[in-house]
Amino acid sequence: MDTTRTQPAAAANPRRWIALAFIGLAQLMIVLDVTIVNIALPSAQADLGISDGDRQWVITAYTLAFGGLLLLGGRIADYTGRRRAFLAGLIGFAAASAVGGAAPGFGALLGARAAQGAFAALLAPAALSLLTTSFTEQRERARAFGIFGAIAAGGGAIGLVTGGALTEYLDWRWCLYVNVPIAVLAAAGWWVLPADTRPEVRPKIDVPGALLAVTGLVAVVYGCSEAESEGWDSALVLGLLFLGVALLTGFVLHERTAAAPLLPLRVVLSRARGSAFLSIALATVGMFAMFLFLTYHMQIVMGYSALKTGVAFLPLTAGVLAGAGGLATRLLPRVPPRALIVPGLLFAAAGTGWLATLEVDTSYAAGVLPAELIMGFGMGMVMAPAINYATHGVREEEAGVASATVNTSQQISGSIGTALLNTVATSTTADYLAERVPDAGALEERRAAGGPVPEVVKAGLVEGFTSAYAVASAIMLAAAVVIAVVMNTPRPDRSKEGDAAPAPAAHLG
């Protein structure tokens, strides 16, 4: 049975609400970087002479380092102190962003992106664990995690707007430079963050566990990224996925007997936390599908500019704020978490299901706008309670690795979901064009070279996108059923308003 070893938030950090602003700013920077570089990539490719085959590495270098090093980064934050890790992550991320913005060639940009991912793997769990240990009272924790959940779910849309504006009016390099002032502002919160405490006996880092986790996660993320271009049945992809699963299985077996495990299995074996991790992972699949395919749909099919596309995503953020800040924050101290997460997944499934009805001539107001609002509202309802309960009830010295597991579930599910849904979309589009165009390959090459997009190609793209939306909707419907059955955490005990736990400890593992 886990118990929380934190002091009440008011005693531990009287300036916690000010600290939340700086923690949220750091989280926003990390989330922005997931999408802002996507908008800048075509311009960066042309400026640096990057080939079509190599351009994916600008994205993959970041996701490999970020996803692969998260568990290790979380443990480092636990051992060295979360405030120190937070500052080190901010400084490193800002420096890597500056190097990437000034990159003279592909190699320098690639190295900078990998460094960004490595420092994000230290910064992200440090930020979330600072939040976890700062807010322990039920109502305050609900409000704080409502804000944090809204940033986690809606920050990607803000990244699209920012990336579009910077690329269109300044230069693609500013999509990286912009992280520097954000990091400086977030670092100013050093003085209001809770002070670091060190255990009397500091355990050694689990080196074998770290090696197994890092190599296993890198293999899975890399395999999924390669599946988009090589196909799921390629020897490379199957080999990487098999290797990744084998290494992660070895990691779990090792953690069962390790004296000081990198990831204590009690963190994930709790039904409440395990269900929360699963909710975050499966909801991320739908969110990534919306960002990926709607970006292409609005720019290629609807003819929107990069900036207009980013602005068109803003209603999604409004929906997230309504779901997380308007509803989840108010109900989280009063109802069981699945009473928010399950309906939230159903709303998200309805939003992606709405997108599955899009046609080439569907207007923004009739198709995209309502889907974004519904999807955003559902994601806000999911993320606020899921992140809350995914990090709740852990021992203070394990807050960093629990927070890292939240981010790991997002990265792995995002990689798998993107590869899976992109395979569905591209194969459906290819089949559609093959039935209607004698030389579909040549037609697609002309479109990729910048020529006008024929109506038949637009129809084929929409056919692929809607098929992927339908699969994403089915995944989230299935997730709602699973969470409804598995997540048995009762509603918070309101007779213990000052306690750290929003549910009796026995129900938290």
Side-chain angles (χ1 to χ4, degrees):
M1 179 176 68
D2 290 350
T3 57
T4 305
R5 300 181 180 181
T6 56
Q7 299 296 323
N13 184 20
R15 295 174 291 184
R16 58 198 175 279
W17 289 107
I18 301 174
L20 173 61
F22 295 103
I23 294 170
L25 194 61
Q27 176 65 16
L28 179 62
M29 183 180 69
I30 296 170
V31 176
L32 285 177
D33 212 66
V34 176
T35 54
I36 195 172
V37 175
N38 289 5
I39 294 291
L41 186 55
S43 298
Q45 181 181 358
D47 189 19
L48 301 180
I50 303 171
S51 69
D52 288 344
D54 287 338
R55 66 184 175 187
Q56 65 156 330
W57 283 103
V58 178
I59 305 299
T60 304
Y62 179 84
T63 57
L64 279 177
F66 189 21
L69 295 173
L70 268 167
L71 287 179
L72 181 59
R75 213 43 165 163
I76 290 174
D78 285 334
Y79 289 167
T80 64
R82 287 175 277 277
R83 189 168 68 163
R84 291 183 183 87
F86 182 80
L87 185 63
L90 283 172
I91 294 172
F93 197 94
S97 298
V99 171
F106 175 59
L109 179 60
L110 200 64
R113 289 289 288 163
Q116 276 186 312
F119 283 107
L122 178 63
L123 176 59
L128 182 53
S129 58
L130 282 169
L131 185 71
T132 299
T133 55
S134 294
F135 293 91
T136 55
E137 191 272 328
Q138 291 174 19
R139 293 183 180 275
E140 289 193 346
R141 185 178 173 95
R143 289 195 295 271
F145 275 86
I147 295 170
F148 195 87
I151 293 172
I158 299 173
L160 292 172
V161 178
T162 307
L166 292 174
T167 302
E168 189 162 329
Y169 294 114
L170 292 175
D171 186 81
W172 68 266
R173 297 179 182 275
W174 279 96
C175 291
L176 293 165
Y177 286 144
V178 72
N179 292 319
V180 177
I182 296 176
V184 170
L185 288 174
W190 164 268
W191 305 108
V192 297
L193 295 175
D196 289 328
T197 57
R198 297 185 179 184
E200 294 181 3
V201 179
R202 188 183 303 178
K204 297 180 180 179
I205 290 181
D206 177 17
V207 176
L211 290 174
L212 287 169
V214 169
T215 53
L217 290 171
V218 166
V220 170
V221 174
Y222 183 34
C224 291
S225 66
E226 287 296 296
E228 295 185 54
S229 57
E230 300 293 329
W232 288 96
D233 57 350
S234 74
L236 174 63
V237 171
L238 291 176
L240 285 168
L241 294 178
F242 178 80
L243 176 63
V245 170
L247 289 169
L248 292 176
T249 301
F251 170 72
V252 172
L253 295 176
H254 170 76
E255 297 301 279
R256 292 177 61 187
T257 58
L262 182 71
L263 174 62
L265 295 184
R266 60 178 169 268
V267 171
V268 294
L269 292 181
S270 154
R271 286 183 69 170
R273 288 192 293 271
S275 300
F277 291 136
L278 184 62
S279 303
I280 293 168
L282 295 177
T284 300
V285 172
M287 183 62 78
F288 271 56
M290 171 169 278
F291 281 138
L292 176 64
F293 300 123
L294 265 188
T295 299
Y296 281 99
H297 181 93
M298 287 191 281
Q299 290 193 24
I300 297 176
V301 179
M302 302 178 74
Y304 285 9
S305 66
L307 178 58
K308 189 174 181 180
T309 298
V311 172
F313 271 107
L314 286 180
L316 176 69
T317 304
V320 171
L321 292 174
L327 184 64
T329 296
R330 297 175 183 275
L331 295 182
L332 188 53
R334 297 181 173 88
V335 301
R338 66 179 171 187
L340 291 169
I341 294 175
V342 173
L345 287 169
L346 293 176
F347 271 110
T352 49
W354 191 300
L355 290 174
T357 67
L358 291 181
E359 297 180 359
V360 174
D361 58 352
T362 303
S363 68
Y364 175 81
V368 177
L369 177 60
E372 285 186 353
L373 292 171
I374 296 170
M375 175 74 172
F377 186 78
M379 289 298 296
M381 289 180 64
V382 171
M383 285 300 184
I387 294 177
N388 185 344
Y389 278 83
T391 57
H392 184 79
V394 296
R395 301 174 181 180
E396 184 176 358
E397 64 270 19
E398 295 169 355
V401 74
S403 302
T405 307
V406 173
N407 290 281
T408 301
S409 65
Q410 290 177 306
Q411 283 296 117
I412 297 301
S413 65
S415 298
I416 295 174
T418 299
L420 171 64
L421 296 176
N422 193 58
T423 300
V424 172
T426 54
S427 60
T428 303
T429 297
D431 292 342
Y432 181 92
L433 294 177
E435 294 176 0
R436 292 163 176 81
V437 182
D439 192 3
L443 194 64
E444 178 61 21
E445 287 178 8
R446 290 199 298 272
R447 183 198 67 80
V453 183
E455 289 301 314
V456 67
V457 173
K458 291 183 180 180
L461 289 172
V462 171
E463 188 76 12
F465 297 160
T466 54
S467 297
Y469 291 136
V471 173
S473 182
I475 290 173
M476 286 186 289
L477 282 173
V481 174
V482 172
I483 298 304
V485 173
V486 174
M487 195 173 208
N488 65 337
T489 310
R491 69 180 182 178
D493 185 354
R494 300 183 66 190
S495 66
K496 300 178 181 180
E497 290 292 323
D499 293 348
H507 293 284
L508 293 171

